[in-house]
Each structure stands twice: as C-alpha cells, then as structure tokens.
C-alpha cells in the first residue's frame, strides 16, 4: 500500500507530517530525547515490531533527524543519534507534551515533568512569540503566505480568500 506524500505541499505542517507519518515515529524520537540510542533498547522501551522500528529509523535518518553510527563491529551494530535538525525537533515534542498534560493527564497529575536545568525549576513548555515573548494563541495569530508559497496557487480565489488577500490582484 502506498503512503500519501505531503512533501510537496506548501505547508510546513503537512511537510512535517510527511516525515512523521505515524505515532511510532514520534515515540521513537521521544525515546531518543530520553537517551535511548540502540535498536534493542527501542524494542524494549516501546514494544514496537522490529520491521516497524527499522522503517521508522530509516525514515528519520533519510529525513536528516537521526544519524546512524557503528558502536560495535562484530557483529556490526548501530546506534542512532540526533542531528542538529533532530535536536531542533524537541520544541515540537515539548509542545505536544504540554497539550497532553493539560487535556489528557488523569487526576493523579502529569506523567512526566520537565525540569529546566539552567534555572533549576520544573517547567511547562509554551509556544511564545519570538518578538514579544507573549504566548501564541490561535485567536491572536493571523496567517498569510510567505515567500515560499507557490505563485501558481496564489491565483486561485479559494487560496486568496483563505489568506485574506485581495481578490483583485
């Protein structure tokens, strides 16, 4: 069965979903952030099928989020390490964790606490404006096309209406 690709879509969310593909990919990345790096370790912590894990690791390596390094030569075994692109994904996982903590945690409280070692305090991740530092909320944000949006799509009335562009130009 062929997987639908969102790689060419003019949307960073769609392109990111194209890399992630499913929940296992996010959980593999979570485990790497928690310190796991070896195939058998992922199997033990996630209970994921070997073929599924091999596919997700390959997908993350192909996308440039992980790099594979030999840690044993007889037999050859690899570990998986975050690249700069992979380390930059932490904010996405932190935001998902914060949402889950707010909406899905049980009465007993959040399952995992993030501790900011720089200031030595427990923290809750927030997405904030890069200019003023205020939390970003849907009601306070407008979206428009950026320089990478395909010019051919800007001619469509539905696209122009979605982004609040004048319908004349």
């Amino acid at each position: 069965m062929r997987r639908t690709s969102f790689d060419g879509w003019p949307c960073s969310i769609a392109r990111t979903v194209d890399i992630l593909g499913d929940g296992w990919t996010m959980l593999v990345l979570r485990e790497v952030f928690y310190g796991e790096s070896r195939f058998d370790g992922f199997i033990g912590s996630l209970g994921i099928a070997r073929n599924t894990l091999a596919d997700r690791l390959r997908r993350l390596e192909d996308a440039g989020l992980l790099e594979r390094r030999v840690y044993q030569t007889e037999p050859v075994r690899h570990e998986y390490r975050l690249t700069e692109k992979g380390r930059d994904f932490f904010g996405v996982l932190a935001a998902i964790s914060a949402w889950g903590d707010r909406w899905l945690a049980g009465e007993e409280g959040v399952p995992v606490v993030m501790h900011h070692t720089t200031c030595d305090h427990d923290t809750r991740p927030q997405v904030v404006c890069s200019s003023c530092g205020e939390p970003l909320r849907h009601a306070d944000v407008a979206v428009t096309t950026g320089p990478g949006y395909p010019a051919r799509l800007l001619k469509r009335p539905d696209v122009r209406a979605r982004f609040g562009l004048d319908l004349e130009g």
Side-chain angles (χ1 to χ4, degrees):
M1 174 188 246
R2 242 183 131 196
R3 187 172 74 83
T4 301
S5 176
F6 302 112
D7 183 47
W9 284 35
C11 172
S12 294
I13 295 170
R15 291 174 182 172
T16 302
V17 166
D18 195 61
I19 291 171
L20 299 176
D22 67 2
W24 283 123
T25 307
M26 295 277 281
L27 294 176
V28 168
L29 281 169
R30 179 200 68 190
E31 291 303 304
V32 175
F33 279 108
Y34 283 0
E36 188 54 68
S37 64
R38 297 182 178 176
F39 195 90
D40 289 338
F42 294 121
I43 297 287
S45 62
L46 294 172
I48 185 174
R50 297 179 80 75
N51 62 329
T52 302
L53 176 59
D55 177 70
R56 298 325 182 267
L57 289 169
R58 187 172 30 261
R59 183 183 299 166
L60 290 166
E61 189 178 1
D62 290 347
L65 278 80
L66 295 179
E67 62 183 8
R68 185 172 48 153
R69 297 180 188 162
V70 173
Y71 73 87
Q72 177 181 310
T73 56
E74 299 268 337
V76 174
R77 294 189 189 268
H78 297 94
E79 63 181 1
Y80 296 85
R81 296 290 181 188
L82 291 163
T83 62
E84 180 182 357
K85 185 177 181 181
R87 287 186 299 276
D88 200 38
F89 196 77
F90 176 75
V92 176
L93 290 179
I96 291 170
S97 180
W99 184 89
D101 287 349
R102 178 170 181 198
W103 296 104
L104 305 175
E107 291 180 18
E108 60 279 356
V110 301
V112 175
V113 175
M114 293 190 184
H115 187 82
H116 190 223
T117 57
T118 303
C119 70
D120 197 29
H121 287 90
D122 291 346
T123 188
R124 290 181 315 277
Q126 285 188 333
V127 178
V128 300
C129 175
S130 61
S131 292
C132 71
E134 289 294 314
L136 288 181
R137 292 184 185 85
H138 176 257
D140 302 327
V141 174
V143 296
T144 190
T145 58
Y149 202 86
R152 65 180 169 73
L153 293 179
L154 288 174
K155 296 175 184 172
R156 291 180 25 188
D158 61 320
V159 170
R160 298 187 72 70
R162 175 187 308 149
F163 290 110
L165 303 172
D166 66 68
L167 295 176
E168 300 295 317

